[in-house]
Amino acid sequence: MFTHSIRRYSLTVNKVYSLSEIKEMLLLEEEEAFALYEEANSLTEKLFGKSIFVRGIIEFSNVCAKNCLYCGIRRGNKNVKRYHIGKEDLKKIIMDAHNDNFKTIVLQSGEVDVYDNDITEVIEYVKSKCDIAITLSMGEKSREQYIEWKNAGADRYLLRIETTNRKLFENLHPDDDFDNRLKSLMTLKELGYEVGTGVMIGLPKQTEEDLASDILFFKENDFDMLGVGPFIPHNETPLRDIKSVNMSMVLNFLSAMRLVTYDTNIPATTSMATLDKEGREKALNAGANVIMPNYTPQKYRESYKLYDNKICTKEDAEHTMEFTKKTVERAGKVLVLERGDRRR
Ligand code: SAH
Ligand code: SF4
């Protein structure tokens, strides 16, 4: 019955879902959950065919001034060996990614301001040499800074809301203010970035209602990219004893998110593959249309551990296009070398 109602609406129109309908999707089990994944996959294939976009992620610095309770590279973790890839090396790594056929790269780091000018220079340099879409994931910055990077040529920005439950957000972020996070997201949209946000699934005290509200928030604000994944504990953080959710909850969330937000770009994330060794393949069959291999040079990966057992800290082959292509093919999909801009 429920499966039917999804089938009738979601594939034909951009249906509006209610909070209770979304919650119902999150609670589905077994066959009904599989039917939901199939619906999400059909919608994804209707919109994108079997194509999966690829973006290389470069974690260029783990220096962070913030102390988010869940994160392994929070400033309070004194066991982290801190590194920062300087601007000349970073330019070279991005040009290598371009030569390896990446049409998009994501520059991600902890949150400090000292390297912001370098990033402006890196963006300008890369944009003068080649056509590669640049996504930044460097946290909350001033409006002026966002403008400077946009003018330099940055295309997209990823900033997760982490949870739309204000109280929970405040408990997890000693340095952040919920309204400021929202304001940053709105500023990025206003400045013409393609904007991505997302949440962690399975945070302590997070309810199904919270998760359903997260999905409605994505829809109502029309974000372009939605990066979500399970919360995974890190043994040197205050949340070390919290257990992760099951992969099935992650997939329910992903599929519900696809059906509700329709034509957004949704990646199969590293945290999904860490939770379940076939996590990426499963995600690519439940609504995800993007894959993000790690393009960080090998020697730094061990030091960019946001959570325990993060995959691809050791495998050399992991960052190659060939490895990613195989993962995508195992999921029955086709890797495409395009920028993968939001399609409406
Ligand atoms: N400093 C930037 C970008 C790096 S963190 C920022 O905070 O936006 C990138 C993402 O990693 C965060 O948005 C968070 O959702 C995720 N993350 C951090 N710790 C995690 C954990 N323990 N489990 C799962 N995801 C985590
Ligand atoms: Fe720093 Fe981002 Fe980790 Fe928070 S989530 S501690 S801002 S790297």
Side-chain angles (χ1 to χ4, degrees):
M1 179 60 198
F2 186 76
T3 309
H4 247 79
S5 69
I6 298 174
R7 195 175 291 279
R8 214 152 21 96
Y9 296 111
S10 68
L11 302 187
T12 48
V13 288
N14 195 349
K15 178 181 162 6
V16 177
Y17 289 87
S18 68
L19 189 75
S20 60
E21 282 175 300
I22 300 172
K23 216 166 121 185
E24 208 179 317
M25 290 191 232
L26 297 179
L27 292 168
L28 292 179
E29 289 179 18
E30 299 183 351
E31 279 107 89
E32 282 193 310
F34 290 127
L36 176 72
Y37 309 155
E38 265 174 40
E39 291 301 326
N41 190 40
S42 306
L43 176 59
T44 310
E45 295 199 350
K46 180 184 155 200
L47 296 166
F48 303 96
K50 290 198 178 290
S51 302
I52 302 296
F53 300 130
V54 57
R55 338 248 199 232
I57 177 156
I58 303 168
E59 301 154 336
F60 69 90
S61 170
N62 69 356
V63 181
C64 190
K66 287 193 172 174
N67 226 2
C68 310
L69 261 61
Y70 43 82
C71 180
I73 62 169
R74 63 202 297 270
R75 70 162 189 270
N77 187 358
K78 304 294 179 217
N79 297 328
V80 178
K81 190 170 150 206
R82 303 286 166 175
Y83 72 88
H84 172 77
I85 300 178
K87 59 186 180 186
E88 298 310 324
D89 285 346
L90 190 53
K91 287 177 192 169
K92 189 175 171 308
I93 295 165
I94 300 171
M95 294 313 293
D96 286 348
H98 177 254
N99 291 335
D100 281 347
N101 277 323
F102 284 90
K103 301 284 187 282
T104 315
I105 48 110
V106 180
L107 300 180
Q108 191 178 80
S109 68
E111 214 173 303
V112 282
D113 294 338
V114 284
Y115 308 115
D116 290 352
N117 289 340
D118 288 0
I119 294 302
T120 309
E121 186 186 318
V122 169
I123 299 167
E124 281 170 351
Y125 173 85
V126 170
K127 287 289 179 171
S128 73
K129 295 278 176 207
C130 66
D131 178 26
I132 188 168
I134 297 184
T135 305
L136 302 175
S137 171
M138 299 171 58
E140 287 179 33
K141 302 285 173 178
S142 66
R143 181 187 174 84
E144 291 66 40
Q145 188 58 64
Y146 289 145
I147 292 174
E148 183 177 309
W149 287 331
K150 189 79 186 57
N151 290 342
D155 302 271
R156 307 176 185 147
Y157 206 99
L158 297 177
L159 179 65
R160 288 185 176 181
I161 189 78
E162 313 295 358
T163 172
T164 56
N165 178 326
R166 177 184 291 269
K167 181 115 199 356
L168 187 50
F169 180 96
E170 281 164 6
N171 290 341
L172 294 168
H173 299 102
D175 314 285
D176 288 321
D177 176 79
F178 186 74
D179 290 317
N180 267 344
R181 181 68 57 110
L182 283 177
K183 199 168 141 220
S184 291
L185 284 166
M186 296 313 145
T187 302
L188 289 162
K189 277 177 74 93
E190 181 210 321
L191 296 177
Y193 282 91
E194 262 195 37
V195 181
T197 192
V199 295
M200 278 174 283
I201 304 162
L203 290 165
K205 301 210 175 84
Q206 190 182 40
T207 63
E208 270 90 18
E209 179 115 354
D210 290 333
L211 291 169
S213 303
D214 293 342
I215 294 179
L216 274 186
F217 168 79
F218 301 155
K219 173 72 179 176
E220 283 162 3
N221 292 288
D222 192 27
F223 290 108
D224 303 298
M225 306 172 281
L226 299 169
V228 304
F231 157 74
I232 301 176
H234 185 291
N235 66 5
E236 288 156 339
T237 65
L239 302 188
R240 67 178 70 83
D241 296 325
I242 306 289
K243 297 267 168 302
S244 297
V245 287
N246 294 329
M247 189 64 194
S248 56
M249 179 44 115
V250 177
L251 294 173
N252 284 24
F253 188 94
L254 195 75
S255 290
M257 192 164 80
R258 165 60 69 208
L259 293 174
V260 175
T261 69
Y262 209 70
D263 53 8
T264 49
N265 281 322
I266 300 180
T269 53
T270 310
S271 57
M272 293 175 192
T274 301
L275 186 68
D276 177 327
K277 66 178 185 331
E278 288 169 11
R280 270 193 287 232
E281 291 85 337
K282 288 178 183 169
L284 293 176
N285 279 289
N289 69 315
V290 174
I291 191 160
M292 289 171 62
N294 191 341
Y295 203 81
T296 311
Q298 197 64 44
K299 62 179 170 183
Y300 301 115
R301 289 194 203 173
E302 193 60 39
S303 302
Y304 200 86
K305 279 212 172 145
L306 305 176
Y307 42 82
D308 287 337
N309 306 316
K310 183 166 174 252
I311 57 154
C312 41
T313 49
K314 297 212 167 58
E315 303 88 334
D316 230 352
E318 176 71 21
H319 75 275
T320 65
M321 200 59 107
E322 200 48 39
F323 183 96
T324 307
K325 190 161 169 267
K326 286 199 182 114
T327 308
V328 168
E329 283 168 1
R330 270 199 305 281
K333 306 276 175 159
V334 183
L335 190 80
V336 294
L337 303 172
E338 292 174 21
R339 282 169 55 106
D341 293 310
R342 169 103 187 256
R343 286 187 198 160
R344 289 176 191 274

